[in-house]
Amino acid sequence: MLRFYNTLKGEIETFKPIEPGVVKLYTCGPTVYDYAHIGNFRAYIFEDLLKRTLKYFGYRVIHVMNITDVDDKTIAGSKREYKSLNEFTEKYIKAFFEDIKTLNIEKADYYPRATEHIDEMVKIIKGLLEKGHAYEKDGSIYFKISSFPNYGRLSKIKIEDLKSTGRVDTDEYTKENIHDFVLWKAKKEGEPFWETELGPGRPGWHIECSAMSMKYLGETFDIHCGGVDNIFPHHENEIAQSEAYTGKKFVNYWLHCHHLIVNGEKMSKSKGNFYTLRDLLAKNYNPKAIRFLLMSTHYRKVLDFTFEGLKQANSAIQRIQNFIYELENEDFHEGESKEVKEILIETSKQFDEGLEDDLNISVSLTALFSMIKKINILRNKKKVFKKDVENILKWLKKINTVLGFLEFEVKKELPPDILAKIKEREKARREKNYALADKIREELFKKGIILEDTKEGTRWKIIK
Ligand code: AMP
Ligand code: ZN
């Protein structure tokens, strides 16, 4: 039974989708004015873990992630570079898709762009005006928060304390003040605009997520995610405008991941304390280690980014990878052991229980590492057999549908100079020059390569 912490309820709840077996999921996507930083990717990896976990437990997931391609920042960027809005954002949209591929994040089913859903937004804003939840001022249209008594339920801002401090026209907002937020912005000189029934202008930021989620997932759907910084005002505003429009509950489960921080501060573009994925790849960090690092701290805990942490993530992956490599390449005797079978059943149970408990990945990973340790002890005692290895590898492949950072059947190639050394040693052995053969064996061992002489010839194994 899957359980998640629902921000709306402020507690852990058993997950039950509206339609049995199907989960409708919406996650707030990138604002495409720059490359995404790894703080953003923490959110996207958490969402990927959630989605893969849902699939692992047998659900079909319909996932929508929006692309914010019109807002204050994208407009400012396009002006700075003397480009059309589309031309400017296209570069970052392309980079975003490359980055999620690098991090092995599964693609959403839909990536709606704000600029392609103006009609849907206009329709909702018109409805809100008709129902008295919105008003017009100087060509812009604002949502009247006093018309929506439930305002504040998600972020736990007390309604009695709500003091409207007037209207805000920007997509950049302060967290401290409650405002009537902008739904539609009147046309401004030098900014892109759309001619609509609401007059010429462009949408505010929040409305796009209501319009696009409802279009692809229906008026009420299962899960909505983002980082904790999205809770207020973005998600609070999404709830207000959506529920005021439909009269129905907007979303059943709200899941938010905590921040990635650097030196005690949230990683963000505005603070300048960020690394993009590309920055880290340029420093030769392994994308799988980045994925591991972003995933392995529970999503509701703050994750402190350090290069030391990234190195440790890399060694953790190497430990599992070596184990896989050895299982795939060593010879095991025919047969199956009861002991291994029991370890696997217990590990698999713990792994699943971790995930079921609000995506407690640390429990799942601990189970995995502890299994590797136990199996290695049995391997040393020659108590692991062919069928066991098959079962372990099958299970590892299964859990990799969730983890997404393991590799199987990787053909490791040795550099030519090492291969030449192995040939030289084989020749020495044929010529019974065992002193030279041993010397080469020792030399290669120091480089992390173990040689084994069999009837079929010399076999090698990489140990580091
Ligand atoms: P943005 O492009 O700023 O709208 O952010 C896209 C997603 O990344 C949102 O879900 C944010 O909550 C999330 N996000 C931004 N910065 C961080 C951070 N430092 N740690 C975790 N998530 C973040
Ligand atoms: Zn959103």
Side-chain angles (χ1 to χ4, degrees):
M1 202 84 90
L2 281 165
R3 297 177 305 282
F4 300 128
Y5 181 87
N6 186 352
T7 310
L8 191 61
K9 291 277 177 69
E11 60 186 42
I12 298 212
E13 286 188 311
T14 298
F15 175 67
K16 199 165 170 279
I18 298 163
E19 187 186 328
V22 181
V23 181
K24 295 187 174 165
L25 168 71
Y26 186 89
T27 59
C28 288
T31 307
V32 281
Y33 69 104
D34 202 345
Y35 299 110
H37 59 67
I38 55 163
N40 301 129
F41 284 115
R42 180 184 198 196
Y44 306 144
I45 292 259
F46 141 65
E47 289 151 1
D48 190 50
L49 173 65
L50 169 67
K51 178 169 149 186
R52 285 167 175 263
T53 299
L54 288 163
K55 287 165 80 176
Y56 178 83
F57 285 101
Y59 292 103
R60 185 163 77 84
V61 181
I62 304 170
H63 177 202
V64 180
M65 178 183 258
N66 65 306
I67 294 193
T68 303
D69 60 352
V70 52
D71 80 321
D72 298 345
K73 292 186 239 179
T74 44
I75 292 172
S78 70
K79 277 188 184 169
R80 203 171 46 239
E81 295 188 14
Y82 301 102
K83 283 182 177 155
S84 73
L85 189 60
N86 265 349
E87 224 184 317
F88 174 76
T89 57
E90 206 53 48
K91 172 176 163 192
Y92 297 110
I93 293 175
K94 194 168 156 268
F96 172 72
F97 286 119
E98 282 167 8
D99 287 354
I100 59 168
K101 194 162 175 227
T102 306
L103 286 173
N104 200 17
I105 292 174
E106 283 189 359
K107 281 192 90 171
D109 299 275
Y110 303 94
Y111 285 104
R113 299 182 189 189
T115 52
E116 290 170 3
H117 293 78
I118 303 292
D119 289 349
E120 287 83 349
M121 295 188 234
V122 168
K123 189 169 164 225
I124 297 176
I125 298 170
K126 265 183 70 187
L128 290 171
L129 281 168
E130 280 159 20
K131 290 179 183 169
H133 290 290
Y135 58 92
E136 192 259 5
K137 180 93 176 81
D138 302 331
S140 289
I141 299 167
Y142 299 87
F143 185 90
K144 193 200 283 177
I145 55 164
S146 60
S147 76
F148 188 73
N150 271 342
Y151 195 88
R153 252 182 58 191
L154 182 76
S155 54
K156 316 289 178 257
I157 288 171
K158 288 208 183 69
I159 195 84
E160 316 76 90
D161 300 341
L162 289 189
K163 284 213 176 58
S164 173
T165 51
R167 295 178 295 271
V168 278
D169 220 352
T170 54
D171 293 324
E172 294 283 349
Y173 43 80
T174 53
K175 289 191 190 313
E176 292 73 28
N177 299 321
I178 315 293
H179 308 282
D180 281 353
F181 58 91
V182 70
L183 295 163
W184 186 256
K185 299 184 177 199
K187 177 184 166 186
K188 258 195 216 150
E189 210 36 57
E191 282 196 354
F193 67 95
W194 283 261
E195 281 294 353
T196 71
E197 288 176 66
L198 304 170
R202 64 167 173 106
W205 173 40
H206 311 297
I207 192 70
E208 71 178 78
C209 285
S210 291
M212 300 197 281
S213 61
M214 286 200 266
K215 172 168 177 178
Y216 295 95
L217 301 175
E219 292 179 340
T220 306
F221 59 93
D222 300 298
I223 308 180
H224 195 313
C225 301
V228 286
D229 57 322
N230 283 160
I231 298 175
F232 184 82
H234 184 50
H235 290 166
E236 197 68 67
N237 290 352
E238 275 189 46
I239 294 176
Q241 64 205 3
S242 305
E243 297 192 355
Y245 176 67
T246 65
K248 294 178 192 157
K249 189 174 184 190
F250 179 42
V251 173
N252 287 336
Y253 301 87
W254 288 86
L255 271 62
H256 294 100
C257 73
H258 220 300
H259 286 146
L260 179 88
I261 61 165
V262 210
N263 298 325
E265 274 201 290
K266 179 196 170 197
M267 180 175 283
S268 72
K269 295 265 168 60
S270 54
K271 292 200 182 91
N273 61 349
F274 65 91
Y275 293 104
T276 64
L277 178 62
R278 285 139 199 265
D279 292 335
L280 298 184
L281 297 181
K283 290 177 192 285
N284 275 329
Y285 284 99
N286 174 4
K288 293 198 164 61
I290 302 170
R291 180 177 171 91
F292 181 99
L293 180 74
L294 296 179
M295 189 190 251
S296 57
T297 295
H298 188 249
Y299 76 94
R300 286 195 294 118
K301 285 193 186 134
V302 168
L303 168 58
D304 196 354
F305 175 79
T306 60
F307 284 100
E308 190 46 42
L310 197 46
K311 279 187 200 135
Q312 282 166 11
N314 201 41
S315 0
I317 291 188
Q318 279 317 314
R319 224 178 310 153
I320 316 175
Q321 229 31 86
N322 284 347
F323 179 69
I324 292 174
Y325 181 77
E326 287 163 12
L327 291 192
E328 284 176 340
N329 290 287
E330 249 173 56
D331 269 342
F332 293 91
H333 291 300
E334 292 297 334
E336 188 171 10
S337 119
K338 192 161 158 267
E339 218 172 332
V340 173
K341 211 172 182 174
E342 277 166 8
I343 292 173
L344 202 50
I345 289 170
E346 185 54 27
T347 309
S348 159
K349 188 168 156 272
Q350 286 167 359
F351 186 92
D352 291 4
E353 281 171 359
L355 289 179
E356 281 174 301
D357 179 19
D358 194 28
L359 304 177
N360 198 341
I361 188 78
S362 326
V363 168
S364 305
L365 290 173
T366 304
L368 169 61
F369 284 112
S370 141
M371 178 199 76
I372 293 177
K373 218 168 164 181
K374 288 180 198 157
I375 299 291
N376 280 342
I377 292 171
L378 291 178
R379 267 172 64 205
N380 288 337
K381 295 182 186 163
K382 302 269 176 243
K383 281 185 174 170
V384 178
F385 302 94
K386 254 204 178 106
K387 186 74 191 158
D388 299 325
V389 170
E390 251 177 63
N391 290 337
I392 297 168
L393 286 172
K394 196 167 146 200
W395 179 74
L396 286 171
K397 281 178 188 161
K398 183 181 160 204
I399 63 163
N400 198 40
T401 62
V402 175
L403 303 176
F405 51 69
L406 298 178
E407 283 183 291
F408 295 86
E409 285 153 35
V410 181
K411 289 264 176 294
K412 291 200 186 176
E413 281 305 327
L414 291 177
D417 56 325
I418 305 252
L419 286 172
K421 281 269 171 217
I422 295 176
K423 284 230 160 67
E424 189 188 335
R425 182 173 168 277
E426 280 176 341
K427 185 166 165 277
R429 271 167 52 83
R430 276 199 304 276
E431 290 166 358
K432 301 210 173 356
N433 183 351
Y434 295 115
L436 177 61
D438 284 351
K439 191 172 151 269
I440 296 175
R441 178 206 286 276
E442 190 60 26
E443 201 180 308
L444 292 182
F445 181 73
K446 282 188 189 139
K447 292 188 169 159
I449 295 142
I450 290 186
L451 299 181
E452 200 183 339
D453 300 310
T454 70
K455 271 183 251 152
E456 293 80 35
T458 303
R459 282 206 254 134
W460 51 264
K461 205 168 87 179
I462 300 172
I463 52 164
K464 52 176 191 206

